[in-house]
Amino acid sequence: MASKFDVSAITLNPTEVSEVAKIIVEKVFETGLLSAEHETFTGIQTKAQILFLEQLGIGGEKLVGCTPAELESLKFTEKFWNPFPHFGRMTHCATDENRLFKILKNAKNVYPDLFEGFEGDQVKELVAALLISHIEESIRAKSWFSDENAATYANGGNFTNGTNLNIFNQNNGLWKQIIADALIPRTTISENTGATKVLQILTAGNSVVYLKSVWDKADSRLKANTEAQFYVTPEIYNDFLWQVAQNEINGGINQTLKNGDTGLTFMGKKIIKKDDWFRNITQYKDNGTVYELPNRIVFTVKENIPIGTLNETDLTNLRVIFDPVSNTNIIDYGYFLDAVFGESYLASVAY
């Protein structure tokens, strides 16, 4: 059956492209899933200063003479945004339109909020959906696993042989920054040192051991922060979920929330399952025998792992055209990105 959509209509006019670009920035950086895990900033400037301020210690002394005792000095930590441009092109044949619109229909049923602003305009919905999903997944990978010195295992690095290193070598991601920061409390996950991928599988029950160790080593200020949460790889999450059910902690009941979130917590702090870490580790951190640190935990607050972009209200260089010669739809895009790790005392990790 011929498509009821005119594929040439994928060529959006400048006003429509601008609408799509604004929705992409809103959904990815401002209100999307990223904003639940990271503090997100738009409209940042290159080399703009980020200030992190430690809390003042206990003070207030008995008055001696007429001058109160001076409090300790404010302790600032400064870092700087250094966003790099990321550009890409998505090309798909016009004969794919039927299947793409079917996928779009299913996606609208599962994630209705994603398509607000494009009601009744399936062409713009399609363009936005393709880019939002792709860009968000890319940002997750780049924000956590980028490395300015990225190299494959064959060349002495820690990226899977054959990896396109240009995806990851613009700046240093959060994991590179975390591992380099010796002041962050850390726990060693023994399974990560296994000589094979099978031996790297988490031992049943060890999720509780590692989560407790991360908690015990965390700064009291982090523990007291109501926004603190655990970010964990899927094996740790699934093992802990099973321990909860098996041992009837909280009655063995986990309330199912929106998008399948179980509401799982440890010591009253939310646990976020980082499936994207697993996907990226198994795809890009595989030397053929073992994965690099397949089991990981980060306990922090999202303000301590911010993600920023120069793009303030829309996506840079978004262009959508239809090429009648090759019968293909071409989507060019560009955005700026950086991820910065903040204060050492506001994190505790295991890997």
Side-chain angles (χ1 to χ4, degrees), residues 28 30 58 84 86 115 119 130-131 154 165 167 200 207 215 226 234 248 250 272 283 292 297 313 317:
V28 173
E30 296 177 2
I58 296 173
F84 278 80
H86 301 259
F115 302 98
E119 186 176 355
L130 286 171
L131 285 173
L165 299 177
I167 296 174
Q200 289 183 314
S207 60
W215 173 265
T226 57
E248 296 187 346
N250 295 326
I272 296 176
Q283 182 172 358
E292 183 196 50
I297 301 172
T313 58
N317 298 332

Side-chain angles (χ1 to χ4, degrees), residues 205-252:
N206 270 3
S207 60
V208 180
V209 175
Y210 297 131
L211 285 167
K212 185 176 186 303
S213 178
V214 168
W215 173 265
D216 289 343
K217 293 180 180 180
D219 189 285
S220 60
R221 291 166 290 182
L222 174 59
K223 293 178 182 178
N225 194 308
T226 57
E227 301 299 320
Q229 50 195 10
F230 291 91
Y231 302 75
V232 305
T233 42
E235 270 202 60
I236 290 174
Y237 184 96
N238 293 333
D239 180 68
F240 184 69
L241 181 61
W242 173 239
Q243 300 307 315
V244 170
Q246 189 177 39
N247 295 300
E248 296 187 346
I249 301 173
N250 295 326

Side-chain angles (χ1 to χ4, degrees), residues 24-56:
I24 289 171
V25 167
E26 177 187 347
K27 295 300 185 184
V28 173
F29 288 98
E30 296 177 2
T31 62
L33 294 176
L34 281 177
S35 64
E37 299 178 12
H38 302 266
E39 189 75 11
T40 56
F41 295 89
T42 60
I44 64 172
Q45 298 298 315
T46 300
K47 298 301 181 182
Q49 185 184 52
I50 313 171
L51 286 178
F52 298 93
L53 174 63
E54 288 192 24
Q55 297 176 3
L56 288 170

Side-chain angles (χ1 to χ4, degrees), residues 306-319:
I307 291 176
T309 178
L310 265 65
N311 308 90
E312 187 167 5
T313 58
D314 57 12
L315 197 68
T316 303
N317 298 332
L318 178 61
R319 183 178 65 163

Side-chain angles (χ1 to χ4, degrees), residues 24-128:
I24 289 171
V25 167
E26 177 187 347
K27 295 300 185 184
V28 173
F29 288 98
E30 296 177 2
T31 62
L33 294 176
L34 281 177
S35 64
E37 299 178 12
H38 302 266
E39 189 75 11
T40 56
F41 295 89
T42 60
I44 64 172
Q45 298 298 315
T46 300
K47 298 301 181 182
Q49 185 184 52
I50 313 171
L51 286 178
F52 298 93
L53 174 63
E54 288 192 24
Q55 297 176 3
L56 288 170
I58 296 173
E61 302 178 19
K62 179 181 178 181
L63 185 63
V64 178
C66 298
T67 305
E70 185 72 30
L71 293 177
E72 65 180 26
S73 299
L74 295 173
K75 297 178 181 178
F76 289 96
T77 299
E78 67 173 10
K79 296 191 177 182
F80 296 88
W81 289 114
N82 192 27
F84 278 80
H86 301 259
F87 293 94
R89 168 173 289 183
M90 297 180 66
T91 303
H92 62 279
C93 179
T95 57
D96 292 332
E97 294 300 326
N98 269 337
R99 284 175 289 178
L100 286 172
F101 278 112
K102 287 179 181 178
I103 293 172
L104 174 66
K105 182 179 179 181
N106 291 333
K108 287 176 66 177
N109 292 332
V110 178
Y111 302 108
D113 294 343
L114 183 69
F115 302 98
E116 289 180 358
F118 293 124
E119 186 176 355
D121 194 330
Q122 292 183 302
V123 171
K124 284 187 282 188
E125 285 181 348
L126 174 60
V127 173

Side-chain angles (χ1 to χ4, degrees), residues 16 92 269 342:
E16 291 173 320
H92 62 279
K269 306 300 183 183

